[in-house]
Amino acid sequence: MKQGSNAQKLNSKTKIIAVYAIFIALTYISTWLINIRLPFVGSGGLIHLGNVPMLIAALVFGWKAGAVAGAFGMALFDLTSGWVLWSPFTFVIVGLMGMVVGLFAEKKPIKNYVINSIISVIIAIVIKVGGYYLAEGIIYGNWVAPIGSIPGNIIQVSVAAAIAIPVAPLLKKILKYSE
């Protein structure tokens, strides 16, 4: 019986690693393939769909998956696409975003999925806007220019939420039936 338990643990750990790897890759690819540089003041921001798989990971698989997908997927994008200086900031900021959304999804402080998801995404937007404002201020030594990135950050997460919030429950149902 103990051997069976170890096999189940291995199977479970293998599934977890596979889910994390898939969502890291999806986050990276969605950030890399589908992005638009915005013409705003400061760094202007980058609109991409990398937040979609990060949010789906958090809403479907919980806070660890959201944090891992966001932190590693987007930091890897920064490292491989000329945004190297941003990578440590991205790792922390987007990791926190995925963690917060996933915690809400796991704890369900409000029984209504849509309201719960919207609240968690609003908190994620605050983390993104505040985090990247601080990062840009530190990187450029200017505390006014980062204001120009705020609209892009809000748009980016809002668009991702509009896609992820309706898709996540469908994915949960599909996964439930496949078990």
Side-chain angles (χ1 to χ4, degrees):
M1 195 162 214
K2 188 170 178 139
Q3 188 175 6
S5 298
N6 288 338
Q8 285 177 332
K9 285 181 186 177
L10 176 62
N11 189 25
S12 177
K13 286 180 183 180
T14 303
K15 284 181 183 178
I16 290 168
I17 291 169
V19 165
Y20 289 1
I22 288 166
F23 278 99
I24 289 169
L26 288 172
T27 301
Y28 173 82
I29 290 167
S30 298
T31 307
W32 172 63
L33 281 179
I34 309 160
N35 67 62
I36 301 166
R37 179 100 176 174
L38 295 177
F40 294 136
V41 179
S43 70
L46 180 70
I47 297 286
H48 58 75
L49 293 181
N51 288 302
V52 174
M54 180 272 293
L55 290 175
I56 290 172
L59 292 168
V60 174
F61 297 102
W63 74 270
K64 288 180 186 175
V68 167
F72 287 97
M74 286 200 204
L76 182 60
F77 168 79
D78 284 351
L79 287 172
T80 60
S81 62
W83 299 74
V84 175
L85 192 56
W86 293 88
S87 185
F89 296 105
T90 295
F91 187 88
V92 173
I93 295 164
V94 184
L96 281 172
M97 290 169 58
M99 183 181 85
V100 165
V101 172
L103 283 171
F104 265 75
E106 287 178 7
K107 303 296 181 197
K108 298 176 185 72
I110 300 170
K111 299 298 181 201
N112 184 313
Y113 167 77
V114 174
I115 292 172
N116 198 41
S117 298
I118 290 170
I119 291 169
S120 69
V121 167
I122 289 169
I123 295 169
I125 288 172
V126 170
I127 292 168
K128 184 169 196 98
V129 167
Y132 280 112
Y133 177 86
L134 287 172
E136 195 167 340
I138 291 167
I139 289 170
Y140 295 121
N142 180 330
W143 299 100
V144 176
I147 294 170
S149 298
I150 293 172
N153 287 330
I154 293 170
I155 292 167
Q156 187 183 111
V157 180
S158 298
V159 168
I163 297 167
I165 290 172
V167 168
L170 299 173
L171 184 57
K172 273 187 171 182
K173 284 182 184 177
I174 291 168
L175 292 171
K176 184 178 176 182
Y177 290 122
S178 70
E179 289 180 349

